[in-house]
Amino acid sequence: MTEKFENFEKQRDFLVCVDSDGCAMDTMDIKHERFFGPFSADVFGIKDRETYLEDWNRINLFSSTRGVNRFKALVMALLNAQNRGEDLGDITALKNWAETASSLSNDALEQLIADSPSEDLEKTYDWSKRVNHAIETELVGEDRPFEGVKKGLAHITQLTDVAIVSSANKEAVESEWIRHDLLDSVDAFYAQDRGSKAEAIADLLTKGYDTKHVLMVGDAPGDEAAADENGVYYYPILFRKEKESWDRLVNEALPKFMNGEYAGEYQESLKKEFHDLLSKYD
């Protein structure tokens, strides 16, 4: 991580926070379809892979749980599989950790296994490491930003501070943004290793921003929840409509945000459109 990210301080009055996977980077579908889902089916010995993988994609890509933390998603998918009759063994330790831990990351999981080893936690750690390794080694040349992102970020960073706020693996996000020359438009970087998105926004607010001057840009309900928890604004990137969403962000939403016209009816109309899209798949 570069020194500018480690020592970030507020430069402008406004801040735009941007999620990575599925929001700025067109990597979310391929990561889940090629790595997250299939690797979890392998590690936990899923028999009916077709049904399991269909459910995995619904949970992570096409429903109101889109973008949920990988470990929470794993628990959801495994519980659904158990309810369909899959024999997965005891996953109580995993379920308890995913539901109660303040930090859900590989480092936190590794420490838990050292303190309280269990087969389900060890399988989960193996799965998560395999996913990270595959993303870092097999996606080079296939990852790309959505159309409009590079130009959009270059415009936004002329007007506001910009922070990456992602729950994805730090190394993967960093390599993707470097590879596509996006980091020049970024002032701060928060990934999985620095806690939840809500915690990231809370930390950014300590830099001196007014909550009315902070906008979270994301593609999932978790992004909206992180914004709401901190009392800042939310702008949705609609899946399958990413270019249109980025164009609207730059040309319509950003001016309203900076002119004090974002709150109320305008933001609510954007949120309604976002939830109406997600609800089609629940």
Side-chain angles (χ1 to χ4, degrees):
M1 193 64 60
T2 65
E3 185 177 342
K4 88 167 184 176
F5 294 144
E6 293 174 351
N7 302 313
F8 169 70
E9 296 294 338
K10 174 176 175 283
Q11 301 295 316
R12 297 181 175 85
D13 287 339
F14 291 85
L15 170 69
V16 173
C17 304
V18 181
D19 181 35
S20 186
D21 287 2
C23 175
M25 296 298 299
D26 186 7
T27 50
M28 192 165 175
D29 287 12
I30 193 171
K31 287 178 180 179
H32 282 285
E33 292 170 357
R34 190 186 296 180
F35 305 132
F36 281 107
F39 288 4
S40 66
D42 293 342
V43 168
F44 284 89
I46 297 296
K47 298 294 189 292
D48 183 357
R49 290 178 66 91
E50 182 177 355
T51 300
Y52 177 83
L53 294 178
E54 182 179 332
D55 188 49
W56 180 275
N57 291 336
R58 180 192 61 79
I59 290 168
N60 289 280
L61 301 174
F62 307 120
S63 71
S64 59
T65 53
R66 174 182 169 88
V68 69
N69 175 277
R70 67 172 66 180
F71 300 108
K72 289 182 178 292
L74 179 63
V75 169
M76 292 178 196
L78 293 178
L79 288 176
N80 289 347
Q82 280 187 331
N83 290 335
R84 292 191 300 270
E86 293 277 0
D87 182 10
L88 306 178
D90 186 3
I91 61 170
T92 303
L94 169 60
K95 181 175 181 291
N96 290 341
W97 176 66
E99 290 177 349
T100 62
S102 59
S103 175
L104 295 174
S105 67
N106 279 6
D107 289 343
L109 182 55
E110 184 178 23
Q111 184 60 55
L112 178 61
I113 292 170
D115 295 337
S116 304
S118 69
E119 185 178 1
D120 57 336
L121 293 176
E122 290 168 3
K123 285 182 177 179
T124 299
Y125 186 52
D126 175 51
W127 162 73
S128 189
K129 288 193 300 180
R130 286 180 60 188
V131 167
N132 286 353
H133 178 73
I135 289 172
E136 291 167 15
T137 59
E138 296 182 31
L139 278 191
V140 176
E142 294 188 57
D143 57 272
R144 64 185 186 277
F146 289 109
E147 187 176 354
V149 168
K150 187 171 184 177
K151 182 178 179 181
L153 286 173
H155 174 76
I156 293 168
T157 198
Q158 298 301 314
L159 304 172
T160 80
D161 290 339
V162 175
I164 299 172
V165 174
S166 170
S167 60
N169 173 261
K170 177 185 71 174
E171 289 77 16
V173 174
E174 186 174 22
S175 66
E176 289 161 5
W177 285 60
I178 289 173
R179 192 153 49 245
H180 295 284
D181 298 320
L182 299 179
L183 279 188
D184 286 345
S185 297
V186 174
D187 302 290
F189 188 171
Y190 291 73
Q192 184 186 85
D193 64 306
R194 300 187 68 180
S196 69
K197 292 176 182 178
E199 290 169 335
I201 296 172
D203 187 66
L204 285 162
L205 287 172
T206 68
K207 307 296 183 180
Y209 299 102
D210 187 302
T211 55
K212 293 182 176 61
H213 289 178
V214 179
L215 179 68
M216 177 69 204
V217 179
D219 64 294
D223 302 314
E224 180 184 13
D228 289 347
E229 185 173 329
N230 286 284
V232 306
Y233 296 130
Y234 175 63
Y235 179 84
I237 300 296
L238 305 178
F239 69 84
R240 306 281 168 81
K241 298 181 180 180
E242 291 86 3
K243 181 185 184 301
E244 295 89 337
S245 297
W246 275 92
D247 288 346
R248 180 167 62 179
L249 171 61
V250 170
N251 298 316
E252 179 182 284
L254 186 68
K256 287 182 178 293
F257 166 59
M258 299 189 70
N259 291 333
E261 302 170 353
Y262 196 86
E265 183 178 347
Y266 181 71
Q267 180 177 229
E268 292 309 310
S269 69
L270 296 176
K271 287 187 173 186
K272 182 179 185 303
E273 184 180 10
F274 173 60
H275 287 287
D276 286 349
L277 177 62
L278 291 174
S279 67
K280 292 180 180 179
Y281 299 88
D282 282 335

